[in-house]
Amino acid sequence: MTIELPIVTSTKSNITSRPLKGEKAAVAKTGINGKTVKNDRGVTIVLPDVLKSDMTEKTGGVDWGSIIKKSKERDKEMSEQYDRVRKSLKESLDSTRSTLDKINTTKLVVKDSMDHAKALDKRWEKFQSDFDEAMSKMVDRIGRAMKRGGGLGLGSPTMLKPINEGEEGPSDIQKRLVLGMDLTLNAITRKLRAKSYSKVVVLMGAGCSTSAGIPDFRTPGTGLYSNMSRYNLPYPEAAFELDYFNNIDPKPFAELSKGIYPGRYSPTLAHRFVKKLQDEGILHRCYTQNIDGLERLAGVDEERLIEAHGSFRGEGFCGLCKAKVEEGVMKDGMLNGRCVPCPRGSNECKGNCKPPIVFFGEDLPLKFKSNYMSDLRTCDLLIVMGTSLSVAPFCSLPLLAGDTVPRLLINSHKVGIFKGDGEDG
């Protein structure tokens, strides 16, 4: 006969010991034999799986206390494992929430950046629109000034009224009469010899120094800007840009200065021509874009010379804190192609020093700003030579001369306002 015992389960509840009766009591007196036990009557009893590993092969029968203890230990272990899993899930959930918060924050930052970019685009579009409108008005005004007619106006240019909106001025014929209808270099030369001019203003550029061996800036193939690839500049002008010099790399300027620093070059015929005008007493002012100092070397007086873009002459100063450094210290650094650190020391300032040259991003000298308007308005002859007229505000100076003032361009090609002149203009 075989009797199968029922399965006893427990979920953290106490098991109450009670006396065994009948066949179950008989089992307690038998030994254990594998999966079944036999009582003293020879009845085979099948044990539930949960009890098989908890049976002790003892003569006396089953160790129920051990079974209960192990059951509690399992319950505790399962509970701890559950707590660990729950804790791990909670940490994962918290981490996920944190990541989502960061993603949302990033989305807000990106949105703000996009809104800012859109605002900048609108401002840029407005600037372009305003600039185009202003340029259109200026070009229209220049065009009317070149074509307008009116009184003869053959007297002194100082008697001419400023060009006003809607005002008409000298006609083309009247302008030609100023030179006796002879718009050639010979006509200008005759008047110079006759000292018909007393207030000559000269505008000079880098082209006046090329025959001395100093390269200009923009001539394709030979200009400084065409031979600066070794410096890995974002654009050639960056070498003379204040922000690039201060915050990115001052070395390109230092190395370029080595090749153009004054002292190894001599004045050219262009410089001596300006000196000749001074000697004849008819040079009112010489405005130069050059930083090579050849005008001074040729003998042009300080009073007559305005170096619009500064020069190597004079004290240098730190590009960041403006601390001054002696001219000799700057000269030694420039001639050796190395940067001159701020005299205050690296602990106080990380800047580098530059000579008193006007970089892109700097104001022009006070002497320039104080004189250019009156000089151009009162001159009786304007000579422009060796310049591309590409850099503001120097490029706009020829526009300031009086309507009937002859403008002579000595250049390899037409530039600026001279591009619109005829072959004999």
Side-chain angles (χ1 to χ4, degrees), residues 184-195:
T184 64
L185 181 60
N186 288 333
I188 299 289
T189 303
R190 285 195 298 270
K191 286 183 171 289
L192 283 172
R193 287 173 176 167
K195 294 188 177 181

Side-chain angles (χ1 to χ4, degrees), residues 144-174:
R144 284 187 286 103
M146 299 291 287
K147 296 178 181 178
R148 62 189 179 170
L152 288 177
L154 297 181
S156 170
T158 59
M159 301 300 294
L160 292 173
K161 296 180 180 179
I163 303 173
N164 295 318
E165 194 78 21
E167 181 184 338
E168 296 295 334
S171 66
D172 186 59
I173 294 296
Q174 292 162 348

Side-chain angles (χ1 to χ4, degrees), residues 105-119:
T105 301
T106 303
K107 286 182 178 178
L108 292 175
V109 173
V110 172
K111 183 178 181 301
D112 289 343
S113 298
M114 292 180 66
D115 292 342
H116 184 63
K118 289 179 181 178

Side-chain angles (χ1 to χ4, degrees), residues 316-384:
F317 58 90
C318 175
L320 289 178
C321 70
K322 309 305 179 185
K324 293 184 178 181
V325 63
E326 294 180 359
E327 180 180 354
V329 175
M330 286 302 309
K331 180 178 181 180
D332 181 63
M334 297 296 97
L335 288 177
N336 288 282
R338 57 178 175 78
C339 300
V340 179
C342 177
R344 295 172 59 195
S346 58
N347 291 333
E348 295 189 33
C349 180
K350 303 292 185 182
N352 287 280
C353 296
K354 57 182 285 296
I357 291 171
V358 178
F359 278 18
F360 293 110
E362 288 187 297
D363 285 338
L364 270 64
L366 180 61
K367 187 177 181 181
F368 174 91
K369 293 189 287 186
S370 301
N371 290 281
Y372 79 93
M373 184 64 74
S374 60
D375 285 352
L376 271 296
R377 282 296 187 191
T378 59
C379 72
D380 51 14
L381 174 63
L382 177 63
I383 300 176
V384 181

Side-chain angles (χ1 to χ4, degrees), residues 88-101:
S88 177
L89 289 174
K90 184 178 181 302
E91 291 175 351
S92 298
L93 182 60
D94 292 342
S95 176
T96 301
R97 286 175 178 168
S98 176
T99 301
L100 288 174
D101 289 341

Side-chain angles (χ1 to χ4, degrees), residues 124-137:
W124 174 247
E125 289 175 1
K126 186 178 185 307
F127 168 77
Q128 285 184 314
S129 176
D130 293 345
F131 179 79
D132 291 342
E133 182 180 354
M135 287 299 294
S136 177
K137 289 182 178 180

Side-chain angles (χ1 to χ4, degrees), residues 9-22:
T9 60
S10 170
T11 57
K12 295 189 177 181
S13 62
N14 294 326
I15 299 176
T16 305
S17 300
R18 59 181 180 273
L20 300 177
K21 299 180 181 180

